[in-house]
Amino acid sequence: MATYDISVAHLYGDLMNTYGDYGNIIALKYYATKIGVTMNYHLVSLGDRFDSSAFDFVLFGGGQDYEETIVAEDLKQKATDLKQYIENDGPLLAVCGGFQLLGHYMVMADGKKVDGIGVMDHFTTNMYDKSLTVLSGKRLTGNIVIKNNDNGEEYHGFENHQGRTFLGQGERALGTVISGNGNNGMDHSEGVIYKNVYGSYFHGPIFTRNGNLAKRVLATTLQRKYPDIDWQSKLNTVPTESF
Ligand code: GLN
């Protein structure tokens, strides 16, 4: 009997795991197990090479400003491989700080500008940016509900960030804000979709509360690796959980 497996890279899982972002991997594993797929977990952290051909799914979680500065330095040597992975339609979930660092730059609460790797076109400014007239000077914290514009699904979560992210070329929002703040508290966008990359400010983690999104991303991951099987149909037979 054929066996199916996926290899998951947890980027800086030892440094970037705010509010248990690792739970996203547990949620994926839950649904994978239900359809007989095994998961291999790999922590890819400081000094490790990110091999773009070795992984089927990548999680890049959130972290606070201090951890982000450490990670930003190391990330430079992974930028080319990560770009290749993303452009090659590799599925990736980036949460909060991880989402920020895939863009051009982020400005921390103290005003220091940290370079991202610019493999995606967004940028993040800070809460004291004088050009921002809405909600400046406050962290964007609390429960949030968004609606995905492609399929009408609602996603529920919790956000806690000072950075204000603005999307760029080729990027669209993961959803439109129904309640809460989203990427910047101004344009009603939350998160990002670019190719098979999903970014979000949702902590807590997004896949456990939004099993339909977890199943969709898992289906994409499996379809890319094993194109001859209808993975979405298989996953549709598994009840969607909200943990
Ligand atoms: N340091 C970033 C900010 O506050 C990210 C925070 C986080 O990952 N929760 O904008």
Side-chain angles (χ1 to χ4, degrees):
M1 205 177 95
T3 56
Y4 302 99
D5 63 87
I6 51 174
S7 284
V8 169
H10 192 183
L11 273 184
Y12 307 102
D14 47 353
L15 290 162
M16 304 280 277
N17 190 33
T18 304
Y19 305 126
D21 292 331
Y22 171 66
N24 290 301
I25 292 177
I26 296 175
L28 275 193
K29 188 172 180 177
Y30 171 84
Y31 292 110
T33 305
K34 292 274 179 196
I35 54 169
V37 173
T38 53
M39 177 188 280
N40 306 309
Y41 172 89
H42 306 266
L43 173 65
V44 179
S45 193
L46 300 179
D48 299 336
R49 175 164 179 237
F50 175 79
D51 179 350
S52 66
S53 61
F55 303 111
D56 307 305
F57 175 81
V58 176
L59 173 71
F60 191 2
Q64 301 310 319
D65 288 1
Y66 177 67
E67 286 83 2
E68 277 197 73
T69 52
I70 295 169
V71 166
E73 228 5 79
D74 185 84
L75 200 57
K76 290 176 190 163
Q77 50 101 357
K78 297 180 176 61
T80 307
D81 290 305
L82 266 169
K83 173 91 181 159
Q84 197 166 15
Y85 177 81
I86 290 170
E87 292 304 318
N88 205 13
D89 298 322
L92 185 152
L93 173 68
V95 181
C96 202
F99 170 27
Q100 294 172 346
L101 289 177
L102 293 177
H104 294 294
Y105 61 86
M106 65 140 324
V107 183
M108 299 195 304
D110 66 5
K112 191 171 161 233
K113 189 172 171 185
V114 175
D115 284 338
I117 50 172
V119 295
M120 292 170 70
D121 200 36
H122 52 273
F123 65 91
T124 303
T125 183
N126 81 353
M127 61 181 156
Y128 304 113
D129 187 328
K130 296 276 187 297
S131 67
L132 303 177
T133 51
V134 182
L135 292 174
S136 295
K138 285 195 205 128
R139 285 187 75 84
L140 304 179
T141 304
N143 290 321
I144 174 163
V145 181
I146 65 171
K147 187 170 184 158
N148 182 292
N149 300 319
D150 298 334
N151 55 36
E153 286 176 355
E154 276 190 13
Y155 304 135
H156 295 247
F158 176 81
E159 60 180 330
N160 182 2
H161 54 111
Q162 71 81 24
R164 268 68 168 164
T165 298
F166 294 86
L167 301 182
Q169 279 277 311
E171 296 186 323
R172 63 190 200 280
L174 174 61
T176 301
V177 175
I178 296 174
S179 64
N181 298 289
N183 285 340
N184 49 55
M186 296 172 74
D187 66 12
H188 307 291
S189 69
E190 202 299 312
V192 69
I193 302 177
Y194 171 73
K195 290 184 162 258
N196 287 328
V197 177
Y198 294 79
S200 178
Y201 273 108
F202 284 26
H203 286 291
I206 185 168
F207 281 172
T208 54
R209 259 184 101 177
N210 303 281
N212 39 5
L213 181 60
K215 285 163 70 176
R216 189 182 308 287
V217 173
L218 181 59
T220 303
T221 302
L222 286 162
Q223 210 60 53
R224 180 169 170 266
K225 184 164 188 184
Y226 304 110
D228 296 339
I229 294 168
D230 181 356
W231 292 102
Q232 189 64 59
S233 296
K234 271 188 188 288
L235 281 163
N236 287 346
T237 65
V238 181
T240 303
E241 303 289 350
S242 182
F243 297 97

